[in-house]
Amino acid sequence: MSARSDWKPLELRPDGVPGGADGLLEALDAAGGPAELLAREKVVVFRDFQVTEEAVEPVLDALLPNRLSYMHGTSPRAKVGGNVYTSTEYPQHLTISMHNELSYSHRWPERIVFFCTTTPGSGGATPVVDGALWLDVLDEEVRKAFAGGVRYLQNLHDGFGLGRSWQQTFETDDRATVEEYLAAGEYDWEWTADGLRMASPVRPSTIVHPVSGAEVWFNQVDQFHPAALGDDTARELAQILPPEELPQSVSFADGGRIPDEYVLQVRDRGLDAAVDVDWRRGDLMVIDNVAVGHGRRPFTGDRRVLVAMSG
């Protein structure tokens, strides 16, 4: 068994330090600080500190020195504070497959913090997967097929339509702000009668981690591809509309169709290789968004996990 397959997140508890936000910050400093910890561990879970939502702000400031908005996000969330959001609000019976946040974009966060404010009734773990292991467990045929990269296509409506609007996606009503973002990312785009149509330049399917030097799987093809849609309505829609008319789709770099079986292998093996992090109220987790992917297991009850991210 490889060292990668033995990997699991580091868990820190208030041993010898008080609970709450102050104790967590003390434990963080004693362990070397967030940069050193994440370079070594990739994911750190803070258990039993019982941090409250009212007291979490200094913890977020320490873990996320440059907190980002969710600009160009594709999943439904609610903003609850200064660049703090609810985690993806897909129906609770669905699994959210593994992904690196905003890996389809030209700007992605380096770190993500998850903070549990309501313990789920059952289930609801956040699975995390080592991106190097995820790449390793894919068939050579699949790795070679994706070596040239991929292109993402999005159709964002103007307030009425399927999927997210461009206003929700970019957290603005200002077209000039959106155009500046698209120009920086070298997108092909046009305003249409219904909203915004945008196609990314070629994006890599893997990248090299800037610190460890490891090659990691880093894309969101299964979340853009019709074959991996988990919602019945979305699957039915994909049978009616061609991919280029769906709210989002993906192709190989040359525009060629990505086979369903490739996408399903990426989705399923990522989930199978993941380690589940269960939640209790007051727990936090910080992840290296390049080194690891994350997702969500189905749950019952009133699970509430907040998310913030930084560059």
Side-chain angles (χ1 to χ4, degrees), residues 20-21 49-57 115 117 281-282:
F49 286 91
Q50 298 181 344
V51 177
T52 65
E53 190 168 350
E54 295 74 20
V56 76
E57 196 71 20
F115 171 48
T117 64
R281 182 179 179 182

Side-chain angles (χ1 to χ4, degrees), residues 192-257:
T192 68
D194 300 320
L196 174 65
R197 179 180 176 86
M198 50 186 287
S200 76
V202 175
R203 300 278 188 235
S205 60
T206 69
I207 62 174
V208 174
H209 192 278
V211 176
S212 71
E215 184 182 9
V216 297
W217 188 252
F218 192 80
N219 63 74
Q220 284 177 235
V221 294
D222 64 306
Q223 295 195 337
F224 274 70
H225 196 288
L229 297 174
D231 178 84
D232 289 340
T233 302
R235 277 197 297 267
E236 291 170 3
L237 180 66
Q239 293 174 355
I240 299 170
L241 295 176
E244 62 270 16
E245 293 184 20
L246 293 170
Q248 56 190 43
S249 58
V250 64
S251 69
F252 285 127
D254 62 1
R257 177 182 168 275

